[in-house]
Short mmCIF file of all heavy atoms in Angstrom, two decimals:
data_model
loop_
_atom_site.label_atom_id
_atom_site.label_comp_id
_atom_site.label_asym_id
_atom_site.label_seq_id
_atom_site.Cartn_x
_atom_site.Cartn_y
_atom_site.Cartn_z
N GLU A 222 14.37 -11.55 -2.80
CA GLU A 222 14.27 -10.42 -1.90
C GLU A 222 13.30 -10.68 -0.75
O GLU A 222 12.34 -11.46 -0.89
CB GLU A 222 13.78 -9.18 -2.65
CG GLU A 222 14.71 -8.68 -3.73
CD GLU A 222 14.17 -7.43 -4.43
OE1 GLU A 222 12.98 -7.11 -4.25
OE2 GLU A 222 14.95 -6.80 -5.16
N VAL A 223 13.53 -9.98 0.34
CA VAL A 223 12.58 -9.84 1.44
C VAL A 223 12.32 -8.35 1.60
O VAL A 223 13.27 -7.56 1.66
CB VAL A 223 13.11 -10.44 2.75
CG1 VAL A 223 12.12 -10.22 3.89
CG2 VAL A 223 13.40 -11.92 2.59
N ARG A 224 11.02 -7.95 1.65
CA ARG A 224 10.71 -6.53 1.69
C ARG A 224 9.56 -6.22 2.65
O ARG A 224 8.69 -7.05 2.87
CB ARG A 224 10.35 -6.03 0.29
CG ARG A 224 9.15 -6.72 -0.34
CD ARG A 224 8.80 -6.11 -1.69
NE ARG A 224 9.92 -6.11 -2.60
CZ ARG A 224 10.10 -5.22 -3.57
NH1 ARG A 224 9.24 -4.23 -3.73
NH2 ARG A 224 11.12 -5.31 -4.39
N TYR A 225 9.62 -5.01 3.19
CA TYR A 225 8.52 -4.49 4.01
C TYR A 225 8.01 -3.22 3.34
O TYR A 225 8.80 -2.36 2.93
CB TYR A 225 8.98 -4.16 5.43
CG TYR A 225 7.90 -3.49 6.25
CD1 TYR A 225 6.86 -4.23 6.79
CD2 TYR A 225 7.92 -2.11 6.45
CE1 TYR A 225 5.86 -3.60 7.54
CE2 TYR A 225 6.93 -1.48 7.19
CZ TYR A 225 5.91 -2.24 7.73
OH TYR A 225 4.91 -1.62 8.44
N THR A 226 6.69 -3.11 3.21
CA THR A 226 6.08 -1.95 2.58
C THR A 226 5.05 -1.34 3.53
O THR A 226 4.19 -2.04 4.04
CB THR A 226 5.38 -2.33 1.26
OG1 THR A 226 6.30 -3.00 0.40
CG2 THR A 226 4.85 -1.08 0.56
N ASP A 227 5.17 -0.05 3.76
CA ASP A 227 4.18 0.70 4.54
C ASP A 227 3.42 1.60 3.56
O ASP A 227 3.99 2.52 2.98
CB ASP A 227 4.89 1.54 5.61
CG ASP A 227 3.91 2.25 6.54
OD1 ASP A 227 2.76 2.50 6.12
OD2 ASP A 227 4.29 2.55 7.68
N HIS A 228 2.12 1.32 3.36
CA HIS A 228 1.33 2.09 2.42
C HIS A 228 0.76 3.36 3.03
O HIS A 228 0.12 4.15 2.33
CB HIS A 228 0.17 1.24 1.88
CG HIS A 228 0.61 0.04 1.13
ND1 HIS A 228 0.53 -1.24 1.65
CD2 HIS A 228 1.17 -0.11 -0.10
CE1 HIS A 228 1.01 -2.10 0.77
NE2 HIS A 228 1.40 -1.44 -0.29
N GLY A 229 0.95 3.55 4.33
CA GLY A 229 0.41 4.74 4.95
C GLY A 229 -1.09 4.66 5.12
O GLY A 229 -1.66 3.59 5.33
N GLU A 230 -1.75 5.80 4.99
CA GLU A 230 -3.19 5.89 5.27
C GLU A 230 -3.92 6.60 4.15
O GLU A 230 -3.42 7.56 3.56
CB GLU A 230 -3.41 6.64 6.58
CG GLU A 230 -4.87 6.78 6.99
CD GLU A 230 -5.05 7.52 8.30
OE1 GLU A 230 -4.86 6.90 9.35
OE2 GLU A 230 -5.34 8.73 8.26
N SER A 231 -5.09 6.11 3.84
CA SER A 231 -6.03 6.80 2.96
C SER A 231 -7.26 7.12 3.78
O SER A 231 -7.85 6.23 4.41
CB SER A 231 -6.40 5.91 1.76
OG SER A 231 -7.34 6.55 0.93
N SER A 232 -7.68 8.39 3.80
CA SER A 232 -8.81 8.79 4.64
C SER A 232 -9.70 9.77 3.91
O SER A 232 -9.26 10.46 2.97
CB SER A 232 -8.32 9.39 5.96
OG SER A 232 -7.57 10.55 5.73
N ARG A 233 -10.93 9.84 4.32
CA ARG A 233 -11.89 10.79 3.76
C ARG A 233 -12.98 11.03 4.80
O ARG A 233 -13.17 10.24 5.72
CB ARG A 233 -12.49 10.27 2.45
CG ARG A 233 -13.29 9.00 2.60
CD ARG A 233 -13.80 8.49 1.26
NE ARG A 233 -14.55 7.26 1.42
CZ ARG A 233 -14.02 6.06 1.49
NH1 ARG A 233 -12.70 5.92 1.39
NH2 ARG A 233 -14.77 5.00 1.66
N THR A 234 -13.73 12.11 4.61
CA THR A 234 -14.87 12.43 5.47
C THR A 234 -16.07 12.65 4.58
O THR A 234 -16.03 13.48 3.67
CB THR A 234 -14.59 13.67 6.32
OG1 THR A 234 -13.45 13.44 7.15
CG2 THR A 234 -15.78 13.98 7.20
N VAL A 235 -17.13 11.88 4.83
CA VAL A 235 -18.32 11.92 3.97
C VAL A 235 -19.45 12.60 4.74
O VAL A 235 -19.89 12.09 5.78
CB VAL A 235 -18.75 10.50 3.55
CG1 VAL A 235 -19.95 10.57 2.60
CG2 VAL A 235 -17.58 9.76 2.91
N PRO A 236 -19.96 13.75 4.27
CA PRO A 236 -21.08 14.41 4.95
C PRO A 236 -22.42 13.90 4.42
O PRO A 236 -22.60 13.72 3.21
CB PRO A 236 -20.87 15.88 4.59
CG PRO A 236 -20.21 15.84 3.24
CD PRO A 236 -19.38 14.58 3.21
N PHE A 237 -23.35 13.64 5.32
CA PHE A 237 -24.73 13.32 4.96
C PHE A 237 -25.59 14.47 5.49
O PHE A 237 -26.13 14.41 6.60
CB PHE A 237 -25.14 11.98 5.57
CG PHE A 237 -24.43 10.80 4.96
CD1 PHE A 237 -23.20 10.38 5.47
CD2 PHE A 237 -24.96 10.13 3.88
CE1 PHE A 237 -22.53 9.31 4.92
CE2 PHE A 237 -24.29 9.05 3.31
CZ PHE A 237 -23.08 8.64 3.83
N GLU A 238 -25.66 15.54 4.70
CA GLU A 238 -26.28 16.78 5.16
C GLU A 238 -27.77 16.63 5.44
O GLU A 238 -28.32 17.29 6.32
CB GLU A 238 -26.04 17.87 4.12
CG GLU A 238 -24.56 18.21 3.94
CD GLU A 238 -24.34 19.26 2.88
OE1 GLU A 238 -25.34 19.65 2.22
OE2 GLU A 238 -23.19 19.69 2.69
N SER A 239 -28.45 15.75 4.73
CA SER A 239 -29.90 15.61 4.90
C SER A 239 -30.27 15.08 6.28
O SER A 239 -31.39 15.33 6.77
CB SER A 239 -30.48 14.71 3.82
OG SER A 239 -29.93 13.41 3.90
N VAL A 240 -29.36 14.35 6.93
CA VAL A 240 -29.64 13.80 8.27
C VAL A 240 -28.66 14.35 9.31
O VAL A 240 -28.59 13.84 10.42
CB VAL A 240 -29.62 12.26 8.26
CG1 VAL A 240 -30.81 11.71 7.50
CG2 VAL A 240 -28.31 11.74 7.67
N ALA A 241 -27.85 15.37 8.93
CA ALA A 241 -26.91 16.05 9.85
C ALA A 241 -25.94 15.07 10.49
O ALA A 241 -25.71 15.09 11.70
CB ALA A 241 -27.70 16.81 10.93
N VAL A 242 -25.34 14.20 9.65
CA VAL A 242 -24.36 13.22 10.11
C VAL A 242 -23.10 13.35 9.26
O VAL A 242 -23.18 13.57 8.04
CB VAL A 242 -24.92 11.79 10.02
CG1 VAL A 242 -23.81 10.76 10.20
CG2 VAL A 242 -25.99 11.57 11.07
N VAL A 243 -21.93 13.21 9.87
CA VAL A 243 -20.65 13.21 9.18
C VAL A 243 -19.97 11.88 9.47
O VAL A 243 -19.93 11.43 10.63
CB VAL A 243 -19.76 14.38 9.62
CG1 VAL A 243 -18.38 14.27 8.98
CG2 VAL A 243 -20.41 15.70 9.24
N VAL A 244 -19.42 11.23 8.42
CA VAL A 244 -18.81 9.90 8.57
C VAL A 244 -17.34 9.96 8.15
O VAL A 244 -17.03 10.04 6.96
CB VAL A 244 -19.55 8.86 7.71
CG1 VAL A 244 -18.87 7.49 7.82
CG2 VAL A 244 -21.02 8.76 8.13
N PRO A 245 -16.39 9.96 9.11
CA PRO A 245 -14.97 9.86 8.77
C PRO A 245 -14.55 8.39 8.60
O PRO A 245 -14.95 7.52 9.39
CB PRO A 245 -14.29 10.50 9.98
CG PRO A 245 -15.23 10.26 11.12
CD PRO A 245 -16.62 10.23 10.54
N VAL A 246 -13.74 8.13 7.58
CA VAL A 246 -13.29 6.77 7.27
C VAL A 246 -11.78 6.80 7.06
O VAL A 246 -11.26 7.72 6.42
CB VAL A 246 -13.99 6.24 6.00
CG1 VAL A 246 -13.39 4.90 5.58
CG2 VAL A 246 -15.49 6.08 6.23
N ALA A 247 -11.06 5.79 7.58
CA ALA A 247 -9.60 5.72 7.40
C ALA A 247 -9.18 4.28 7.18
O ALA A 247 -9.68 3.36 7.85
CB ALA A 247 -8.88 6.30 8.61
N LEU A 248 -8.26 4.08 6.24
CA LEU A 248 -7.67 2.77 5.96
C LEU A 248 -6.16 2.88 6.10
O LEU A 248 -5.54 3.78 5.51
CB LEU A 248 -8.01 2.32 4.54
CG LEU A 248 -9.46 1.97 4.26
CD1 LEU A 248 -9.72 1.99 2.74
CD2 LEU A 248 -9.80 0.60 4.82
N SER A 249 -5.55 2.00 6.89
CA SER A 249 -4.09 1.94 7.04
C SER A 249 -3.63 0.54 6.64
O SER A 249 -4.20 -0.46 7.12
CB SER A 249 -3.68 2.23 8.48
OG SER A 249 -4.10 3.52 8.88
N THR A 250 -2.61 0.45 5.79
CA THR A 250 -2.19 -0.85 5.29
C THR A 250 -0.67 -0.98 5.27
O THR A 250 0.05 0.02 5.13
CB THR A 250 -2.73 -1.11 3.86
OG1 THR A 250 -2.03 -0.29 2.93
CG2 THR A 250 -4.21 -0.80 3.77
N SER A 251 -0.20 -2.20 5.37
CA SER A 251 1.22 -2.52 5.25
C SER A 251 1.35 -3.98 4.84
O SER A 251 0.36 -4.74 4.88
CB SER A 251 1.96 -2.27 6.58
OG SER A 251 1.45 -3.11 7.60
N GLU A 252 2.55 -4.39 4.45
CA GLU A 252 2.74 -5.78 4.05
C GLU A 252 4.19 -6.21 4.22
O GLU A 252 5.11 -5.39 4.16
CB GLU A 252 2.31 -6.00 2.60
CG GLU A 252 3.10 -5.22 1.58
CD GLU A 252 2.57 -5.42 0.17
OE1 GLU A 252 1.39 -5.09 -0.07
OE2 GLU A 252 3.33 -5.89 -0.68
N LEU A 253 4.38 -7.50 4.41
CA LEU A 253 5.69 -8.14 4.46
C LEU A 253 5.71 -9.21 3.39
O LEU A 253 4.82 -10.08 3.37
CB LEU A 253 5.95 -8.74 5.84
CG LEU A 253 7.29 -9.44 6.03
CD1 LEU A 253 8.44 -8.44 5.91
CD2 LEU A 253 7.35 -10.15 7.38
#
Side-chain angles (χ1 to χ4, degrees):
E222 296 181 347
V223 177
R224 60 176 56 209
Y225 174 77
T226 306
D227 185 335
H228 298 106
E230 181 180 280
S231 178
S232 62
R233 63 183 179 276
T234 300
V235 183
F237 292 88
E238 296 178 356
S239 61
V240 290
V242 167
V243 174
V244 178
V246 173
L248 292 161
S249 300
T250 72
S251 62
E252 62 184 60
L253 180 64

